[in-house]
Amino acid sequence: GDKSVTYMDSFRLLITTSLPNPHYSPEISVKVTLVNFAITVEGLQDQMLGIVVQLERPEMEEKKVALVRESAANNAQLKDIEDTTLRLLAESEGDILESVELIDTLAKAKITGAEIDRKVAEAKGVEKEIDEARQTYMPVAVRAALLFFCIVELTKIDPMYQFSLQWYQHLFRSGVESSPANPDLAGRITCIIDHFTVVLYTSVCRGLFERHKTIFSFALAIRILSSEGRMDQLLLRFLLTGPTSEVRNGRDKPVMWLTNPEWNEIQTIAQFRQFHGIDDDFGYRADDFKSIYDDPDAHKRHLPGEWDVKLNTFEK
């Protein structure tokens, strides 16, 4: 600390971390530039959309790539013209109207700029048509991104469960190519989604401990149902956490075989629209509920009364 050390102004120190969401103190954060290379849902959806369109409609994806390259080349050409014009203006001496080189450059720039503007306008129209056609495959990309982030979170169960994006993309390509053919576009998209979901589930389960397969199945089902808007988030929260408080002014427990916490859970769930009145039914159908309560395979039993028809599979 008592010696002065010389260093180059161009010196840069780059440090990477494998932590998914690192946190640094304010003192460190103000001295460094943090760059997050973690993939986002939107970014992954765009990648998977490109893959599925490349496999299903290769000519369309080639046009898309060509348009991107052409657009980049046009922008680079415009930038070169602007830089040349500004350089000539800065280097010109005297009356700029007498500079033949500058006048010729401005004339060429005008012609070239008009030509590039025309190409850009045409490219935008073609790109819009391509994007509209590509969007028909967006449900596949959405499902693929959803499934990837589901398997990434398996590291919370066991750090051994690591799945790379490269492996996932290779599996996705194989799943699309091996999915059943369907002449109808909507049917084809459904086939790809269903087939790849099964392929991914089978492949991932090969690397899971037996006790973790049920957890993975549940997490996968919840993610899919939530993305399709078929999952009641309040009910899901109740399933995962249970009641957060005791029901005030609740009914007396109608049967002795239920514990107080269990009766509180029943009264709490009865406050949901789907389960309204189920606490009353416990008094009327105590024997039916008791037989289910004592059955080791209770999940296979039919609920008494209207509840077997009224509730969907998740609610049951």
Side-chain angles (χ1 to χ4, degrees):
D2 58 344
K3 294 181 180 180
S4 298
V5 180
T6 58
Y7 69 95
M8 297 176 61
D9 292 336
S10 60
F11 174 77
R12 296 291 184 271
L13 176 63
L14 305 178
I15 302 176
T16 62
T17 175
S18 59
L19 297 175
N21 189 22
H23 293 278
Y24 299 97
S25 64
E27 292 79 7
I28 295 179
S29 298
V30 297
K31 296 178 181 178
V32 300
T33 300
L34 299 177
V35 181
N36 186 2
F37 289 99
I39 191 168
T40 62
V41 176
E42 293 77 12
L44 184 57
Q45 286 179 0
D46 190 59
Q47 285 190 32
M48 306 314 285
L49 179 62
I51 292 174
V52 69
V53 173
Q54 183 183 35
L55 294 173
E56 294 291 299
R57 303 281 297 276
E59 74 288 348
M60 185 185 300
E61 190 63 17
E62 289 174 2
K63 281 185 179 180
K64 176 70 174 178
V65 173
L67 282 175
V68 172
R69 290 176 177 172
E70 184 180 356
S71 177
N74 290 336
N75 291 332
Q77 190 175 359
L78 282 176
K79 183 68 168 55
D80 291 339
I81 293 173
E82 292 174 358
D83 292 342
T84 303
T85 303
L86 292 175
R87 179 180 58 79
L88 291 175
L89 286 172
E91 294 175 353
S92 64
E93 297 179 357
D95 190 356
I96 60 175
L97 297 178
E98 296 180 357
S99 175
V100 178
E101 183 182 5
L102 179 59
I103 293 174
D104 289 343
T105 301
L106 291 174
K108 292 179 181 178
K110 182 178 179 180
I111 296 173
T112 305
E115 181 66 18
I116 291 177
D117 289 341
R118 183 185 62 80
K119 290 181 179 179
V120 169
E122 292 177 357
K124 285 184 177 179
V126 177
E127 186 176 11
K128 183 179 179 181
E129 294 177 1
I130 293 176
D131 287 340
E132 289 177 354
R134 291 173 86 246
Q135 287 302 310
T136 57
Y137 291 92
M138 181 55 74
V140 179
V142 171
R143 173 63 66 87
L146 180 145
L147 297 179
F148 176 76
F149 283 100
C150 185
I151 64 174
V152 165
E153 292 185 351
L154 287 174
T155 55
K156 297 178 181 178
I157 300 175
D158 193 310
M160 182 184 68
Y161 298 146
Q162 301 282 345
F163 301 92
S164 69
L165 180 59
Q166 290 77 12
W167 169 84
Y168 185 78
Q169 290 177 336
H170 175 74
L171 184 69
F172 180 70
R173 288 178 180 273
S174 301
V176 173
E177 292 172 347
S178 62
S179 59
N182 193 312
D184 179 62
L185 180 58
R188 172 62 178 160
I189 291 173
T190 301
C191 288
I192 294 175
I193 291 175
D194 294 343
H195 181 73
F196 176 66
T197 302
V198 174
V199 168
L200 176 73
Y201 177 79
T202 305
S203 300
V204 172
C205 281
R206 291 195 188 104
L208 300 182
F209 290 116
E210 196 66 32
R211 64 180 181 275
H212 293 153
K213 292 180 181 179
T214 304
I215 300 176
F216 175 56
S217 301
F218 177 75
L220 202 63
I222 292 300
R223 282 291 189 99
I224 293 174
L225 291 174
S226 296
S227 68
E228 296 175 350
R230 296 192 289 150
M231 174 59 62
D232 189 320
Q233 297 300 319
L234 292 177
L235 278 177
L236 176 60
R237 182 179 179 183
F238 176 82
L239 175 66
L240 298 176
T241 64
T244 56
S245 62
E246 292 188 3
V247 177
R248 295 183 178 180
N249 302 321
R251 295 180 174 85
D252 293 333
K253 187 170 60 174
V255 291
M256 297 303 297
W257 47 271
L258 279 176
T259 63
N260 291 332
E262 289 171 342
W263 177 239
N264 183 57
E265 289 180 352
I266 293 172
Q267 290 191 100
T268 303
I269 202 173
Q271 297 176 0
F272 289 93
R273 172 183 52 82
Q274 301 94 318
F275 294 90
H276 181 70
I278 196 170
D279 49 346
D280 292 332
D281 259 16
F282 259 84
Y284 304 140
R285 306 177 187 274
D287 293 338
D288 295 332
F289 281 108
K290 180 65 165 60
S291 64
I292 297 176
Y293 182 85
D294 294 332
D295 193 338
D297 294 324
H299 61 287
K300 298 180 181 179
R301 294 282 300 275
H302 292 287
L303 295 178
E306 63 179 352
W307 302 109
D308 197 59
V309 179
K310 184 177 180 181
L311 303 179
N312 60 36
T313 304
F314 173 74
E315 291 164 351
K316 292 177 182 179

